[in-house]
Amino acid sequence: MSTLRDLAEEHTQLRPADIDHLHRIAGDWQLLSDLSFADLLLWVPVDGDGTYLCVAQVRPTTAPTAYLDDQVGRIVGGPEVAHLEVAHRQGRIWREGDPVWYGDVPARHEAIPVRLRTAEGEAGEVIAVVGRDTNLSTARTPSQLELNYLTTADDLAQMIADGTFPPPRHPGETTSAPRVGDGLVRLDANGQVTYASPNAQSAYRRLGYASHLVGEDLAKLHRRLAADPLEGTDAGNAVLAALRGEAPPRREIDARGATMLTRALPLMPAGVPIGALVLVRDITEVRRRDRALITKDATIREIHHRVKNNLQTVAALLRLQARRVAMPEARVALEESVRRVASIALVHETLSMSSDEAVEFDGIVDRVASAATEVAATEVTVDMRRQGSFGVLPAEIATSLVMVLNELLLNAAEHGFPPAGEEGPARPADAAKPEVVVSAHRFRKQLHVSVADNGRGLPEQFDAERGGNLGLQIVRALVTGELRGTIELRNGATGGTEAVLVLPLARPTADPR
């Protein structure tokens, strides 16, 4: 199904600013649908030929829908859109007419013109029409709650026609909560509560307010209830801002171990401030789970920090032991172990500063490459650099991969560039400066990595499958085992040696058997 933007760009001459306004309406109109007990359909005129295209639809969560089938993408004309044409041409809300039937479902049509206000703050031209279609099959005498819902819905509908609804969205806010069913409070122009739904009353009772809300000054009540005076002041000021016609960001109130989220919206039909609508939601359990997750994340980071410290301690002990060993071969083996342990410690150090079990791997590669340059047992100065990006990798991949790269980088630096006088093919005198390049890119859920040098290349009798020192054996075991990938060692096209790794990024699902 095409998106709102796709449909509008294909069938209409609406400007980008017009389409953005329609997106804002579609992002916030669940509120109006629930208050109206009605389906909302967003209709745009198709190139002035008398037909209209439905580019968005929302169904109410408070009442049965009038449409079992999705209407998005439907183009209609003729008598079926007469009410839309009146709203579009005359710029007023249309509520006349008899009920219509959709199969066995009787429905009442209404049409609300959509305006986008100009940069000067004036009401602009009508760019679309919101159809408000109510299923009448369950019609009955409305309750006090339903009457307040419908009254508020009419005020918001007029604000759509005026171009003052929806309000601008604040950065970082979503449109999912709170909703009408979570709790609704209506205020008059003085900020006093004229109606509070049962769910709203229950939410305030959780905060410690046992009396009925009607007649209360809500801004003052928020200041009294909040455990944190600053939090209470912010919540109270949000109510006052809505009464002035502003749309403040959402606020939370904590009291007596409970937490309530509030959203204050101005009510300004025809540009006249008549009060405010405050939606509330009890989010005590949500915040409790958030705190539990924060505690868990902190514990995991502390574990990684301690593992890093332990690995550094192990590396320090091995380094001390290496200094006391007389045999050169044993000393070299211990020093290699120190480097391997230190490379794993790098991953845990990064994880100890992260909020999840994933690491930004580029920084780790750069640090490993820098360390390999400093500790490589070679007389030749080798430059090491990275091309491309590894991106964010899960910890289980990062831990093994950092060991693999550490071994490959050291192997390239120590064996790819022999010092003068050593047996084996020598580098030409005019050869480029010794260099090792680590390259990475992602392709089809795989990570492709290469470690290439411009050195002397592989020996003629080298067995790429079995040959090599302990470091290469560790590399093969980690790549084919822990990382479930492949590795190929080969001579580069222009000289030197190249190690090519292909690693899957997605873990296989467990066998249900």
Side-chain angles (χ1 to χ4, degrees):
M1 178 62 68
S2 299
T3 64
L4 185 159
R5 186 175 300 276
D6 293 336
L7 290 169
E9 290 178 347
E10 180 181 355
H11 296 279
T12 75
Q13 300 297 322
L14 291 175
R15 302 165 300 176
D18 298 333
I19 298 175
D20 288 342
H21 184 63
L22 298 184
H23 265 292
R24 287 194 295 273
I25 289 177
D28 225 350
W29 67 348
Q30 184 71 59
L31 169 64
L32 178 58
S33 177
D34 291 344
L35 289 170
S36 303
F37 306 99
D39 291 76
L40 300 182
L41 283 70
L42 186 56
W43 298 95
V44 293
V46 180
D47 297 333
D49 63 358
T51 60
Y52 286 79
L53 166 68
C54 181
V55 295
Q57 176 183 3
V58 63
R59 293 181 172 89
T61 61
T62 52
T65 180
Y67 299 97
L68 296 179
D69 298 326
D70 190 59
Q71 302 296 302
V72 176
R74 183 174 174 230
I75 298 178
V76 294
E80 193 173 352
V81 297
H83 62 301
L84 304 178
E85 190 73 7
V86 171
H88 183 251
R89 300 297 181 190
Q90 299 181 16
R92 66 177 180 86
I93 297 178
W94 184 92
R95 292 193 175 97
E96 304 87 38
D98 297 325
V100 296
W101 289 80
Y102 295 106
D104 296 331
V105 178
R108 181 177 64 248
H109 271 332
E110 295 179 57
I112 306 164
V114 176
R115 283 187 176 89
L116 173 62
R117 298 188 78 82
T118 65
E120 294 75 23
E122 299 178 356
E125 63 181 10
V126 177
I127 59 174
V129 179
V130 171
R132 182 162 61 166
D133 301 336
T134 306
N135 186 332
L136 298 177
S137 60
T138 58
R140 55 185 173 81
T141 302
S143 64
Q144 184 184 11
L145 179 145
E146 292 167 335
L147 287 173
N148 277 277
Y149 275 20
L150 292 171
T151 300
T152 306
D154 288 343
D155 292 334
L156 293 179
Q158 184 60 55
M159 291 173 66
I160 288 181
D162 298 337
T164 57
F165 184 87
R169 190 177 302 173
H170 295 275
E173 286 190 346
T174 63
T175 58
S176 59
R179 292 189 173 186
V180 170
D182 297 324
L184 178 145
V185 179
R186 182 168 175 130
L187 310 179
D188 62 17
N190 296 318
Q192 292 187 329
V193 178
T194 60
Y195 175 76
S197 70
N199 282 346
Q201 191 71 53
S202 297
Y204 279 93
R205 188 171 288 115
R206 290 287 301 274
L207 296 180
Y209 184 76
S211 302
H212 204 277
L213 286 168
V214 173
E216 277 288 339
D217 186 315
L218 197 65
K220 293 181 180 178
L221 179 62
H222 284 178
R223 296 190 182 105
R224 293 202 311 268
L225 289 177
D228 183 344
L230 181 59
E231 188 179 84
T233 299
D234 288 343
N237 289 342
V239 173
L240 297 177
L243 293 172
R244 293 192 301 267
E246 303 171 16
R250 298 167 192 179
R251 300 295 185 188
E252 292 185 10
I253 301 175
D254 290 289
R256 298 193 176 186
T259 304
M260 185 176 72
L261 177 65
T262 69
R263 182 189 184 192
L265 294 169
L267 294 178
M268 300 178 59
V272 179
I274 63 170
L277 172 67
V278 180
L279 300 174
V280 301
R281 181 185 179 189
D282 183 353
I283 57 170
T284 304
E285 291 303 310
V286 175
R287 288 295 171 262
R288 183 188 63 79
R289 289 194 294 268
D290 288 345
R291 288 190 288 269
L293 287 174
I294 291 172
T295 302
K296 179 181 177 182
D297 289 341
T299 302
I300 292 174
R301 288 196 297 272
E302 177 62 22
I303 290 172
H304 284 301
H305 179 72
R306 295 188 181 188
V307 170
K308 183 262 296 184
N309 288 344
N310 291 338
L311 289 172
Q312 289 178 338
T313 301
V314 171
L317 292 174
L318 290 173
R319 192 176 296 111
L320 288 173
Q321 186 65 40
R323 293 172 182 171
R324 295 174 178 270
V325 172
M327 295 178 59
E329 295 85 354
R331 185 182 302 109
V332 170
L334 288 172
E335 289 174 348
E336 289 179 351
S337 297
V338 169
R339 292 194 292 269
R340 289 166 185 145
V341 172
S343 65
I344 299 175
L346 276 179
V347 176
H348 286 280
E349 181 180 6
T350 305
L351 287 169
S352 69
M353 297 181 289
S354 173
S355 60
D356 53 24
E357 287 295 287
V359 294
E360 184 66 50
F361 201 69
D362 290 344
I364 293 178
V365 175
D366 294 341
R367 293 176 65 182
V368 168
S370 177
T373 302
E374 297 174 359
V375 304
T378 178
E379 300 175 5
V380 180
T381 301
V382 181
D383 286 341
M384 296 191 182
R385 60 186 177 87
R386 172 175 54 83
Q387 286 183 344
S389 175
F390 288 81
V392 177
L393 297 179
E396 61 268 23
I397 293 179
T399 304
S400 299
L401 183 56
V402 73
M403 286 192 64
V404 169
L405 293 178
N406 180 63
E407 297 294 339
L408 291 175
L409 289 169
L410 285 172
N411 197 68
E414 293 179 352
H415 301 289
F417 308 97
E422 183 175 315
E423 295 183 2
R427 285 169 48 81
D430 60 347
K433 187 176 181 180
E435 183 180 59
V436 180
V437 180
V438 183
S439 303
H441 72 277
R442 299 186 178 213
F443 179 70
R444 293 182 179 177
K445 296 185 179 181
Q446 291 180 331
L447 180 63
H448 293 246
V449 182
S450 72
V451 179
D453 63 62
N454 60 351
R456 62 181 174 179
L458 295 172
E460 292 184 2
Q461 305 301 321
F462 182 79
D463 185 348
E465 295 297 327
R466 299 180 180 81
N469 55 20
L470 175 62
L472 287 180
Q473 294 176 23
I474 292 175
V475 167
R476 291 193 188 93
L478 288 173
V479 171
T480 58
E482 293 294 324
L483 297 173
R484 299 175 297 106
T486 61
I487 180 172
E488 179 185 1
L489 292 173
R490 65 195 184 195
N491 284 315
T494 58
T497 305
E498 185 178 23
V500 179
L501 291 73
V502 179
L503 311 174
L505 291 173
R507 291 295 185 186
T509 57
D511 189 339
R513 297 174 295 179

